[in-house]
Amino acid sequence: QDISSIKNNHSFTWPGGDVENFDTAISYKVASADGEAEITIGYGYRVTYGTKRRRVVVWIDNYPYAEFMGADDFEVTGEVLSEIRIWDDENDSKRMCRYAVDIIPERYSMFRAGSLKHRVTGDGVHDAWAVIANVADHKCMSALAAMRKYETEE
């Protein structure tokens, strides 16, 4: 993967019309058996669970496939988390993968996982499994986004 651009003050308009601003966005041109794509990793901040946290969004061809939030100890560890979601046949939709209740799908075996509730405090934090990545690990965050893109195409 080659860096194609680095932008300051990147903004993204979500499907509902909300505009979110990111301090920095780094884009890569990548190639796979399916062809070329552009992966963009945006860095910003957002209040989540009552605390202003580091936020990272990973887009593939301008579609957001992975969102990460800073752990409570982000300033020390640099770690961000993305909740794992699984398909729920009963409700015909995705739901959080519950920590210590649900089995993490095998496709997540390449990622480090842990309890969101053990790393993030605040009102309404789900007791869910989450992928844990270092904020600088673009390969890990991009791999999660690519896997989620693949899941939506199945």
Side-chain angles (χ1 to χ4, degrees), residues 6-11 20-28 40-46 53-59 68 74 78 80 134-139 141:
I6 299 174
K7 293 181 4 182
N8 292 323
N9 304 318
H10 176 72
S11 65
E20 186 170 5
N21 296 308
F22 296 85
D23 304 329
T24 306
I26 302 166
S27 295
Y28 295 92
T40 301
I41 302 172
Y43 290 92
Y45 290 91
R46 181 193 270 184
R53 299 179 185 279
R54 173 54 89 184
R55 175 160 164 77
V56 182
V57 176
V58 183
W59 296 270
F68 293 83
F74 174 81
V80 291
N134 184 279
V135 71
D137 191 345
H138 291 189
K139 285 185 179 181
M141 293 185 289

Side-chain angles (χ1 to χ4, degrees), residues 84 95-104 113-118 126-130:
I84 295 174
R95 65 166 173 79
M96 69 178 162
C97 186
R98 296 173 305 235
Y99 179 73
V101 174
D102 293 320
I103 296 170
I104 299 172
S115 167
L116 181 66
K117 204 167 195 173
H118 290 159
H126 299 132
D127 197 9
W129 286 103

Side-chain angles (χ1 to χ4, degrees), residues 141-153:
M141 293 185 289
S142 296
L144 180 62
M147 185 182 75
R148 289 183 175 165
K149 180 181 188 304
Y150 176 77
E151 287 175 341
T152 64
E153 294 174 352

